[in-house]
Amino acid sequence: MSGPEVVRVAAPTERRNPASYDLDLLPTRDVLKLINEADQAVPGAVADVLDPVVAAVDFAVEALGAGGRVHYFGAGTSGRVGVVDAAELPPTFGSPVDWFCPHLAGGRDAMWGAIEDAEDDVLGGAAEARDCVRPGDLVMGLAASGRTPYVLGALREARSLGARTALVAADPHAAAAAEVDLFIGLDTGPEVVTGSTRMKAASAQKLVLHAFSTTVMVRLGRVYSNLMIDLSATNAKLRGRMISILMEATGCPEPDCTRALTAAAGDLKTALVSLVSGAAVPEARAALARSNERVREALALLG
């Protein structure tokens, strides 16, 4: 009887890092120093792939503007990075919860515990994509190795459905690059602990997704200057932040900002447009509606 299938992955993340051969013999501080030094290569690896990330942002803005969605498909650490990025967008930018949809091999239980065999389910990835992806969506696969079957199954199915596809991998030469519209191949090299892609590879994926999703929100008018103007004030700290943002954006004192925010029923954008333009709240709200909720365009409409 044959045993379970064995696959030897040739990705750079599976190679041994010569700088850490004696990792288990080092003093604690030297272990930490070695990890920190290795981590410093991550921002440079992200800088090298900005051009395809630019294209991904353009695809996402087009998809969301047309009523579509952005999907993240991943397994293990890569999938969890996607879940975290998607979960943080609605409270930060007030975006609809279904704009960014994360899909994790193994489902919700895999967020809290390892379900390692789920990543080999190529048919499961395809089935999940078939259930939720629509033509015109953007589907981003997250796979440190660049070959995760669940992720590739989802990407292939999504492409056949008329969605645009992108793959974020820690192997610049992943064979699957030829199967997607955009390939974001990060050269993070061997990990300090061989094969532990929760380290540099995951850090690079996190930086890519944070830059990508934040820029999408900027392009969609959910940032004014460098201020969050669509945040949801769901606790005391965020209510205080809302007042601080209004003061920064308008130069008005706190009492004026508090009154404007109250008059706008807690809508930061409306209060901001009202204070800067001098328009009444109903006029500010109408200008935002006519400008697709973009503050600068609303202010231009109000002169």
Side-chain angles (χ1 to χ4, degrees):
M1 180 182 294
S2 63
E5 181 185 8
V6 175
V7 175
R8 297 188 65 191
V9 177
T13 53
E14 300 298 317
R15 300 175 193 152
R16 289 187 70 189
N17 188 331
S20 58
Y21 280 167
D22 296 325
L23 188 68
D24 60 333
L25 302 176
L26 296 176
T28 299
R29 183 174 181 81
D30 288 349
V31 173
L32 293 169
K33 183 172 182 289
L34 184 58
I35 293 171
N36 178 256
E37 288 173 348
D39 286 343
Q40 292 177 39
V42 173
V46 175
D48 289 340
V49 298
L50 288 185
D51 285 344
V53 177
V54 168
V57 169
D58 290 341
F59 284 173
V61 170
E62 183 178 340
L64 294 171
R69 297 184 292 179
V70 175
H71 301 265
Y72 295 151
F73 279 86
T77 300
S78 297
R80 295 183 192 105
V81 168
V83 170
V84 170
D85 188 73
E88 291 173 342
L89 297 176
T92 305
F93 298 105
S95 58
V97 294
D98 63 346
W99 269 13
F100 282 72
C101 307
H103 308 273
L104 180 59
R108 289 179 177 270
D109 290 344
M111 189 67 192
W112 312 109
I115 305 179
E116 301 294 0
D117 60 341
E119 73 173 57
D120 292 333
D121 190 0
V122 63
L123 295 179
E128 191 158 351
R130 193 158 51 247
D131 287 344
C132 62
V133 174
R134 300 188 295 259
D137 286 355
L138 172 63
V139 176
M140 299 185 70
L142 312 173
S145 67
R147 59 155 302 279
T148 306
Y150 167 85
V151 173
L152 297 188
L155 289 171
R156 290 165 185 154
E157 184 66 24
R159 203 174 193 192
S160 74
L161 294 168
R164 283 170 164 161
T165 57
L167 174 62
V168 184
D171 180 357
H173 307 293
E179 299 185 46
V180 292
D181 298 303
L182 288 174
F183 178 60
I184 302 171
L186 295 150
D187 189 5
T188 55
E191 299 286 4
V192 170
V193 175
T194 305
S196 181
T197 54
R198 60 180 285 274
M199 302 183 79
K200 289 191 296 178
S203 296
Q205 288 179 324
K206 186 175 179 65
L207 287 181
V208 166
L209 290 192
H210 275 190
F212 161 75
S213 59
T214 299
T215 306
V216 169
M217 293 301 163
V218 172
R219 294 277 72 84
L220 290 172
R222 290 180 176 266
V223 172
Y224 173 70
S225 181
N226 61 351
L227 301 170
M228 297 186 296
I229 51 170
D230 265 306
L231 78 162
S232 300
T234 54
N235 60 35
K237 179 189 75 174
L238 292 176
R239 286 189 288 274
R241 180 178 294 167
M242 191 175 276
I243 294 293
S244 297
I245 288 172
L246 202 50
M247 293 170 65
E248 286 282 348
T250 66
C252 295
E254 182 173 348
D256 290 354
C257 291
T258 301
R259 282 193 294 271
L261 197 56
T262 300
D267 187 322
L268 177 57
K269 272 186 174 178
T270 299
L272 191 161
V273 171
S274 176
L275 281 172
V276 172
S277 68
V281 164
E283 295 173 356
R285 188 172 288 124
L288 281 165
R290 295 200 307 275
S291 62
N292 199 23
E293 297 298 318
R294 296 173 182 267
V295 168
R296 291 192 188 275
E297 284 83 345
L299 290 172
L301 287 174
L302 294 168

